[in-house]
Amino acid sequence: MKAFAYVNPASEREAVAALKIDGIALPIGGGQDLLARMKDYIDTPDRVVNVKGLDATVTSTPDGGLKIGSAVKIVDLAEHALVAKLYPAVVHAAGEVGTPQIRNQATVGGNVNQRPRCWYFRNEEFVCYKKGGSRCFAENGENQYHAIFGNEGPSHIVHPSSLAVPFVAYGARFRVVGPAGEREVPAADYFTMPTLQNVLRENVLEDEEILTHVILPAPGAIKTGHYEVRYKQSHDWPLAFTTVVLTMNGNTISSARVVLGAVAPVPWRSKPAEAALAGKPLNAQTAAMAAEAAVSEAKPMSGNAYKVQIAKTAVKRAIMQAAGIRTA
Amino acid sequence: MKSAGVTSLATAVTAAGAAETEAQTGPRVVGPGDVPVTLMVNGKRVELRIEPRVTLLDAIRNRADLTGNKRVCDRGTCGACTVIVDGRTVYACSTLAIEVQGKQIRTVEGLSTGNALHPVQQAFCDVDALMCGFCTPGFVVATVAVLEKHPNATREQISRGLDGNVCRCGTFVRIMEAAMKAKGVARG
Amino acid sequence: MAEYSWPEKPTLLGSAVTRLDGPDKVTGRARYTYDINRPGMIYGRMVRSPFAHARVVSIDLSPAEKAPGVRAVIAWKEPGAQVMYQGDPVAAVAADTEERARDAARLIRVRYEPLPHLASVEQALAADAPAVFPGGNTQTGATDETGDLEAGFAKAAHIVEATYSTHVITHVCLETHGCVCEWDGDKLTAWVSTQGVYPCRIGFADGLKIPQANVRVITQYMGGGFGSKFAPDVQGLICAKLAQQAKAPVKLMLDRKEEHLDTGNRPSAAAHIRAGVTGDGMLTAFDGQSWGTGGAGALSGFPLPYIYNFPIRKRTHKNVFINAGPQRAMRAPGHPQGCFLTEILMDELADRVKMDPVAFRMRNLPPAAPNAMWAEYFTRGAKAFGWDKRHATGDPAPGPIKTGMGVSAHRWGGAGRGSQAHVDIMSDGSVVVKCGTQDIGTGTRTIVAMVAAETLGLPMSAVKPEIGDTMYPFSGGSGGSTTAASVTPAIRVTTVNALDQLFAKVAPTLGAKPEDLVAQGGRIHLKGNASKGVAWKDACRLIGTEPISVDGKWEDGLSGAGTSGVQFAEASVDIETGIVKVTRILAIQDCGLIVDKLTAESQAYGGVIAAINFALFEDRIIDRVTGQMVNPNMEWYLLAGMSDVPTIDIILNNMPERGVIGIGEPPTVSTASAIANAVRNATGATIRSLPLHPHRVLGAIEQQKAGGTN
């Protein structure tokens, strides 16, 4: 890594102020992503600002929801009884992140803000759009792990965050603090589809802003399902995963949120799947039909058509899980 | 500033001792040159002068001659550098030494007492859960941590607890046997 | 000589003895090359080509020379030279800390002129391929032909014609390649992570143009080689030169990316095969055109067909060169490839004649022999594995999870020879055994002690083995599964000779002749009369001030060559995701006389797991446009973890009458083929290439539904 100065702020205000320098300053959470990027010279900050001292608690909110500090470690989120009760998909997703060693250090904020795993992005030799270049190497290259939705370009990454998907599905908001003060951004609006103007980022966070909290609304009368397909069972990135949150009226689905991960540059809300579920009974046939709808708008690349089948399976099995039907 | 476009392949070396001009209020900025870093490793103080960019792994291996834990992938994927910090396993290669000051760090060297092996270490030897041995310290530490958290761990819990470690020689079958054997053996 | 032969009733040999260096390894006390910290040591770092193919225009070392902490800088290529693959070494620097060495290396300004490159076999074989390699991008070997091919096919009732292939994988030694070099005047001591201290000594001497007598190579512990670590390589010579320039010891260890790019790999293998079989299941003819790539200018041969008896055969092989790191021997070179390219075909042929795959194979084996035991192993293994429960191709069970079984057979050579040893027996009873072999994780240190202890009738703790240093008597590199067969006879011979000298001293005190004595149970006593003798320590007191000090060497009669084995696999496939999970493996393996049962079994587990990785996970992936590797790490270069490892059962067949033969390589040959056949059995779709990644499995399932893969 390039040598850097290090600072340990004691408050949100100090953290934001420390990010303002003549040069590059980056926040470090658990460091499980940033340090690897720095070792590969994808990022070469002059200063690193520790944000593990921000809020690391999980507290109840007046409306019956939860407020999760961005410095909460993934292991603590995965083992949190109240989170498991209210938002089981969050706990499920947290438990599947990486490995025990990673979960012991990685933070919620770091997980949401992590950069893509795309191997062109991560290898210094490839100067792609996300590094200020003018091409996406996945387009004519090795794209077996790249997007199957939202493939208009310029970038074809899949968003790597496991937690982002259930956060979007549960309708979370993110609290962001910066030089101009604080703001709340709905999770669904936090992640940005790539354009030539914004391709250097994957979200709306500005340079001197930090993510401080994930605020989850009261769950209400919902059924949840979460299903991940990954190749290696020990430690691997998912090929596709889904959170479905179903608002029920008896055994009928009155409305649904279906969000897919590892398939698009952002957590991918599937309107076709949601439309296919609304008003239907919660059963295996509905699950299969909604899964077909979920992939109806897929536009795979030259090497990743197989992910369409896998995404379809993830959606079907997540819905079946919500229905309490045993799946493979 | 967060992003600055293309990262030059020939990144300039930061001039040693470049002073940060900072307002008098606010937290202290240290580095990029050497700073004092004190680590508590296996119950002993280790006092170093290192740059903030030095990982915990490189600090203990290169500066404190604690070479038990190994550097293999250096990217937090293989587990050979697994140490225990405040009771939890971490990848030492993906930890800045400067950030674990004031914490209790246990490396593989801290598991045995004199010539007496930790029960996990003894079990590894008894069932031959090792070959070249390069992944072994990381696996031993990870196994100790699993059994400390779940003294009566199931095979499933042991598997999940060791999923952050990789062996190229293929000792997994006997590592599982060793973990099951060490389970429930009281630490003297 | 009869007196050297292995004991008929051994006390130690063939039993399970725990590894001597286990405690040092589990405590972290064991010092590998990566752990050597010498006084005044500095760190080396190399600069390598980022391009698959380029001309070096200029190298400017000056920014590095001026950088903080830098003590030496070297250019390895000259302007005008070509770099032939990403990772090709260009320059190097040494500095007082690792961080500064990396910083300085990044300051070295190399200008390249990119040249046309070949990123894949397809590109190299294309009609309009650029001429990258002098002499051509391909090189065809001689044709191997036996019998009249058309007559052979005329006899066939069924013919299968298809293309089969395996992929490039890298060794992924956990301890990367590298060394610590320290000069004392004109004498070099090199701690090297190597499989061969003696070959390295020659390599340093030749590469640095210094006498071998001035070079000492040390490897007490090393973190994996798998065939890739036999020479100092470029990094070793660079390390020595940096140390000379800096007048300080230099540690130069490769990082994980360099390790993937430039320390060798298993070449790819492909073949277009046409094979014929009679209606009653006898193979008639085999016609194979094969090819493969070993990277830049390197070969890719492998045996084909493999094991089974095709009376009429024709085979040609073409080496294809691409701009990628050159291949090196990797655990059972050629055999996993030849096995896969034959074994899938065998299941397809079995289906044509509606025969059980095991029965079909048994019908077409070469004659049984001690080194060709497949018939017995197939029978034994089928029973132990529950093969009779196997359904026909395509699991009829409902639901998305399909299960299947597969089988495969293999052979290997071994045949080690030529080691030398030295044994000292001292007047206080201590015994030291020296041999310049190395323990690459196989347990060599332990079996050296075992053979000496067995011979002297002593417990393991009474014998001190000393290995891993060119100061000790000659032994060859540890490869080809030759070490046990090369080393143990040398230890046996030398220790017997040393014991004879001790017998000569003891015999008069017992009123006996030396040939009347035996060493057993920690005593020296008369044959058949244990009470007439002395304890070991008392016997050794008679040695006096001049220790018994004996040199000896390998002799014929204690070792052998040629092993065989079979493996069975069970796998389940989720046909809605294409994900394969291996559930069970059974490996039946022989290796002549088993020395240490515990470490021999570990070798078998290790070989099987290596092959599971070959079958399912690992893959060296090169970007087809730029020729650069996209996964030079351990994140996207997939390797199994604990949750990916199935139940593995090992049956070792001890054949003491054949002498010691090696076991490092044979267990890794068959597993991938057995797994692929299990997947075929489960899904009904034939997959003829590796790895069995979901995209390949789903593709085959889809193709099967659309009209067949057969």
Side-chain angles (χ1 to χ4, degrees):
Chain A
M1 325 180 208
K2 181 177 134 177
F4 55 84
Y6 179 87
V7 61
N8 202 2
S11 67
E12 286 177 1
R13 197 185 47 78
E14 283 190 356
V16 169
L19 286 172
K20 184 183 175 58
I21 64 165
D22 219 351
I24 305 173
L26 291 177
I28 185 168
Q32 301 306 286
D33 184 26
L34 177 64
L35 293 179
R37 296 199 320 261
M38 289 167 67
K39 288 175 184 178
D40 288 325
Y41 294 87
I42 308 305
D43 281 295
T44 52
D46 305 290
R47 176 191 287 187
V48 163
V49 178
N50 175 33
V51 291
K52 288 182 281 298
L54 298 179
D55 190 355
T57 67
V58 177
T59 51
S60 296
T61 57
D63 73 333
L66 281 185
K67 190 170 177 180
I68 302 173
S70 66
V72 169
K73 293 197 169 50
I74 303 293
V75 63
D76 295 322
L77 187 67
E79 294 176 355
H80 202 286
L82 190 51
V83 178
K85 179 157 169 259
L86 298 177
Y87 315 100
V90 169
V91 157
H92 192 149
E96 298 298 324
V97 166
T99 65
Q101 293 93 325
I102 290 172
R103 294 193 288 276
N104 286 339
Q105 293 213 94
T107 63
V108 169
N111 185 281
V112 168
N113 288 330
Q114 69 182 290
R115 304 297 311 276
R117 308 313 306 182
C118 167
W119 44 39
Y120 297 109
F121 176 69
R122 294 271 166 174
N123 277 303
E124 199 182 354
E125 287 88 347
F126 301 95
V127 183
C128 68
Y129 279 121
K130 285 196 169 284
K131 290 178 274 187
S134 51
R135 59 192 280 207
C136 171
F137 292 84
E139 276 179 1
N140 298 313
E142 316 313 309
N143 52 43
Q144 55 261 53
Y145 296 118
H146 288 76
I148 56 171
F149 295 103
N151 261 330
E152 295 73 44
S155 165
H156 300 277
I157 57 126
V158 295
H159 198 279
S161 169
S162 298
L163 297 182
V165 166
F167 285 157
V168 170
Y170 283 120
R173 297 185 319 280
F174 294 149
R175 178 174 176 271
V176 168
V177 168
E182 64 176 88
R183 61 193 177 110
E184 279 187 12
V185 182
D189 300 334
Y190 184 80
F191 306 98
T192 50
M193 281 293 290
T195 67
L196 286 172
Q197 289 71 42
N198 74 0
V199 68
L200 296 178
R201 303 169 195 272
E202 291 80 50
N203 55 49
V204 299
L205 210 61
E206 297 288 343
D207 279 344
E208 291 155 37
E209 290 186 315
I210 51 177
L211 170 63
T212 67
H213 294 87
V214 178
I215 302 159
L216 286 154
I222 58 169
K223 287 195 157 140
T224 302
H226 183 90
Y227 195 89
E228 174 182 309
V229 180
R230 64 171 188 263
Y231 187 25
K232 268 173 48 179
Q233 299 311 299
S234 56
H235 177 199
D236 208 350
W237 294 96
L239 295 170
F241 64 104
T242 315
T243 303
V244 300
V245 175
L246 309 171
T247 304
M248 303 300 298
N249 182 3
N251 196 44
T252 304
I253 303 165
S254 44
S255 67
R257 289 170 78 97
V258 176
V259 186
L260 286 81
V263 295
V266 298
W268 189 258
R269 263 195 80 177
S270 177
K271 298 281 190 202
E274 294 174 0
L277 288 170
K280 300 288 190 307
L282 180 53
N283 60 32
Q285 295 92 299
T286 301
M289 198 201 34
E292 287 284 356
V295 297
S296 58
E297 50 177 16
K299 287 190 177 58
M301 303 175 77
S302 57
N304 68 8
Y306 77 101
K307 282 183 67 165
V308 176
Q309 167 62 34
I310 291 178
K312 185 168 96 173
T313 302
V315 172
K316 182 179 82 162
R317 292 182 181 174
I319 298 170
M320 287 172 70
Q321 199 192 87
I325 304 170
R326 235 184 123 250
T327 69
Chain B
M1 270 276 288
K2 184 187 292 181
S3 46
V6 179
T7 318
S8 162
L9 274 175
T11 309
V13 172
T14 311
E20 294 283 347
T21 50
E22 185 73 25
Q24 288 307 103
T25 59
R28 201 166 67 93
V29 181
V30 298
D34 288 351
V35 297
V37 171
T38 303
L39 302 174
M40 287 302 296
V41 185
N42 301 324
K44 294 197 187 70
R45 280 174 80 85
V46 175
E47 307 210 350
L48 304 170
R49 283 195 62 81
I50 51 175
E51 295 168 319
R53 62 175 164 170
V54 176
T55 64
L56 172 61
L57 182 67
D58 292 349
I60 62 178
R61 284 181 53 80
N62 295 343
R63 270 83 171 188
D65 203 35
L66 286 163
T67 58
N69 283 99
K70 311 302 184 195
R71 194 167 77 191
V72 168
C73 76
D74 202 27
R75 293 293 186 280
T77 58
C78 77
C81 68
T82 303
V83 300
I84 297 173
V85 175
D86 281 353
R88 288 175 160 170
T89 52
V90 302
Y91 294 135
C93 76
S94 303
T95 305
L96 293 176
I98 197 174
E99 290 198 319
V100 287
Q101 301 184 87
K103 297 182 194 281
Q104 293 299 324
I105 301 163
R106 289 160 73 198
T107 70
V108 68
E109 288 93 343
L111 297 178
S112 47
T113 323
N115 279 332
L117 299 179
H118 186 287
V120 167
Q121 292 170 319
Q122 187 62 55
F124 268 61
C125 292
D126 291 345
V127 306
D128 205 36
L130 62 140
M131 290 189 71
C132 84
F134 215 64
C135 75
T136 305
F139 262 108
V140 165
V141 172
T143 304
V144 167
V146 170
L147 295 180
E148 284 178 355
K149 188 168 178 178
H150 304 285
N152 211 18
T154 61
R155 293 184 91 95
E156 166 90 38
Q157 283 171 319
I158 292 168
S159 265
R160 275 188 55 86
L162 297 183
D163 271 343
N165 292 65
V166 169
C167 169
R168 186 38 156 178
C169 292
T171 59
F172 294 98
V173 173
R174 287 183 158 165
I175 290 176
M176 176 60 78
E177 277 176 36
M180 296 296 281
K181 187 170 202 246
K183 209 167 67 157
V185 177
R187 181 81 178 100
Chain C
M1 288 185 58
E3 61 184 277
Y4 296 130
S5 58
W6 299 113
E8 277 200 29
K9 288 192 174 58
T11 49
L12 281 175
L13 300 185
S15 69
V17 173
T18 56
R19 210 176 278 262
L20 283 183
D21 45 25
D24 282 339
K25 288 176 176 175
V26 298
T27 55
R29 284 195 297 258
R31 289 264 175 179
Y32 297 73
T33 302
Y34 219 133
D35 306 327
I36 302 290
N37 288 327
R38 299 290 299 163
M41 190 179 78
I42 62 175
Y43 297 84
R45 176 82 185 149
M46 291 170 66
V47 176
R48 298 172 179 270
S49 168
F51 295 105
H53 187 207
R55 183 169 295 112
V56 174
V57 174
S58 63
I59 303 178
D60 181 5
L61 303 175
S62 58
E65 284 161 349
K66 295 185 263 210
V70 169
R71 305 268 297 277
V73 193
I74 288 178
W76 189 253
K77 294 273 197 298
E78 291 183 356
Q82 287 189 30
V83 286
M84 300 304 292
Y85 53 94
Q86 181 200 17
D88 203 342
V90 172
V93 62
D96 56 359
T97 70
E98 269 200 301
E99 295 79 26
R100 288 176 161 187
R102 270 179 204 263
D103 289 344
R106 292 176 68 83
L107 293 177
I108 293 175
R109 272 195 288 263
V110 185
R111 278 180 40 234
Y112 298 93
E113 178 201 333
L115 297 170
H117 62 266
L118 301 168
S120 69
V121 166
E122 290 65 41
Q123 291 175 18
L125 294 176
D128 57 352
V132 169
F133 293 92
N137 299 335
T138 67
Q139 178 214 81
T140 303
T143 300
D144 206 349
E145 202 162 358
T146 303
D148 178 348
L149 210 54
E150 283 325 301
F153 281 112
K155 283 205 211 95
H158 308 276
I159 294 178
V160 169
E161 181 167 0
T163 304
Y164 307 83
S165 65
T166 65
H167 56 306
V168 174
I169 62 173
T170 57
H171 298 68
V172 202
C173 308
L174 292 199
E175 184 186 29
T176 56
H177 287 57
C179 53
V180 175
C181 284
E182 181 168 326
W183 292 91
D184 180 8
D186 60 356
K187 294 203 181 25
L188 171 67
T189 302
W191 291 262
V192 187
S193 183
T194 184
Q195 298 170 245
V197 291
Y198 268 88
C200 269
R201 185 171 81 169
I202 295 177
F204 276 111
D206 287 354
L208 300 170
K209 311 237 186 308
I210 60 177
Q212 289 183 32
N214 285 16
V215 179
R216 179 182 173 194
V217 179
I218 303 172
T219 307
Q220 291 305 316
Y221 300 93
M222 64 88 82
F226 312 112
S228 67
K229 288 180 177 171
F230 284 107
D233 298 334
V234 169
Q235 72 274 358
L237 302 181
I238 283 180
C239 183
K241 286 176 190 277
L242 289 171
Q244 251 172 348
Q245 209 186 102
K247 296 189 175 31
V250 172
K251 177 189 287 183
L252 200 172
M253 302 302 295
L254 268 53
D255 69 14
R256 184 51 51 190
K257 182 165 179 171
E258 295 175 283
E259 189 73 13
H260 275 297
L261 294 178
D262 194 26
T263 62
N265 48 72
R266 171 178 290 165
S268 67
H272 187 82
I273 295 173
R274 199 163 57 111
V277 63
T278 63
D280 65 344
M282 298 298 294
L283 298 170
T284 65
F286 179 99
D287 181 13
Q289 294 106 49
S290 66
W291 65 95
T293 186
L299 305 179
S300 60
F302 57 92
L304 191 71
Y306 194 64
I307 302 291
Y308 305 100
N309 185 32
F310 291 89
I312 293 165
R313 302 184 298 280
K314 183 178 177 195
R315 189 269 178 106
T316 58
H317 182 73
K318 182 188 289 189
N319 293 302
V320 182
F321 308 128
I322 66 171
N323 293 103
Q327 64 96 10
R328 292 185 190 178
M330 183 173 190
R331 205 159 182 183
H335 282 231
Q337 300 95 297
C339 180
F340 182 84
L341 268 56
T342 306
E343 286 287 13
I344 314 303
L345 167 72
M346 287 298 282
D347 266 21
E348 294 190 73
L349 291 166
D351 273 357
R352 290 290 199 280
V353 296
K354 297 187 177 16
M355 277 181 78
D356 171 84
V358 169
F360 177 62
R361 284 167 171 77
M362 288 183 60
R363 210 154 154 62
N364 290 283
L365 287 172
N371 65 347
M373 302 281 291
W374 303 290
E376 182 184 313
Y377 296 161
F378 275 138
T379 307
R380 188 171 172 192
K383 189 147 176 270
F385 201 68
W387 185 259
D388 56 346
K389 296 191 198 56
R390 179 183 181 273
H391 52 72
T393 305
D395 186 356
I401 309 297
K402 308 295 186 193
T403 310
M405 295 189 209
V407 72
S408 174
H410 61 272
R411 59 179 165 79
W412 190 250
R417 58 190 300 123
S419 284
Q420 299 173 17
H422 181 91
V423 172
D424 289 319
I425 306 179
M426 285 159 273
S427 59
D428 62 354
S430 43
V431 178
V432 180
V433 181
K434 296 177 179 174
C435 180
T437 185
Q438 46 284 312
D439 190 329
I440 64 173
T442 54
T444 303
R445 182 177 272 114
T446 306
I447 64 174
V448 165
M450 275 181 82
V451 170
E454 175 79 56
T455 305
L456 301 176
L458 292 174
M460 292 282 289
S461 54
V463 172
K464 187 166 194 272
E466 302 269 30
I467 64 170
D469 196 323
T470 49
M471 281 197 352
Y472 304 141
F474 170 79
S475 186
S478 291
S481 306
T482 58
T483 302
S486 170
V487 167
T488 58
I491 307 300
R492 177 69 168 172
V493 167
T494 313
T495 314
V496 166
N497 291 345
L499 185 62
D500 279 349
Q501 288 194 19
L502 183 59
F503 283 167
K505 293 193 197 288
V506 173
T509 69
L510 294 174
K513 297 199 281 288
E515 54 268 31
D516 298 331
L517 299 179
V518 291
Q520 246 171 42
R523 291 166 56 74
I524 308 248
H525 62 80
L526 254 59
K527 283 182 192 157
N529 188 356
S531 58
K532 190 141 193 252
V534 289
W536 177 265
K537 280 213 159 65
D538 295 326
C540 290
R541 261 193 266 274
L542 301 168
I543 289 172
T545 52
E546 184 183 334
I548 292 172
S549 187
V550 176
D551 291 318
K553 55 189 344 174
W554 181 94
E555 295 210 2
D556 216 345
L558 294 160
S559 57
T563 63
S564 53
V566 306
Q567 294 188 6
F568 291 78
E570 182 186 75
S572 71
V573 183
D574 183 335
I575 60 169
E576 289 180 356
T577 61
I579 303 237
V580 173
K581 289 190 183 150
V582 182
T583 48
R584 281 192 300 145
I585 302 282
L586 169 64
I588 304 184
Q589 185 63 53
D590 60 52
C591 57
L593 168 75
I594 297 172
V595 183
D596 182 347
K597 184 160 180 283
L598 201 58
T599 55
E601 287 166 347
S602 289
Q603 284 275 51
Y605 284 122
V608 165
I609 290 170
I612 290 172
N613 277 317
F614 182 50
L616 294 184
F617 297 129
E618 57 185 308
D619 195 1
R620 195 271 317 260
I621 304 173
I622 291 187
D623 175 60
R624 68 196 68 191
V625 173
T626 65
Q628 293 159 324
M629 186 174 175
V630 291
N631 61 339
N633 49 54
M634 288 175 73
E635 173 193 358
W636 288 112
Y637 191 95
L638 306 180
L639 289 175
M642 184 65 84
S643 289
D644 303 300
V645 174
T647 301
I648 303 174
D649 291 308
I650 310 286
I651 298 176
L652 293 188
N653 184 26
N654 195 12
M655 302 170 91
E657 68 283 2
R658 300 190 63 215
V660 175
I661 310 174
I663 195 180
E665 288 159 296
T668 207
V669 176
S670 264
T671 328
S673 306
I675 292 171
N677 279 334
V679 169
R680 180 174 183 276
N681 182 233
T683 61
T686 305
I687 302 172
R688 301 185 182 87
S689 58
L690 294 178
L692 299 168
H693 187 278
H695 82 266
R696 207 167 250 115
V697 174
L698 283 177
I701 290 171
E702 231 177 80
Q703 207 189 329
Q704 182 65 19
K705 272 197 227 142
T709 51
N710 300 308

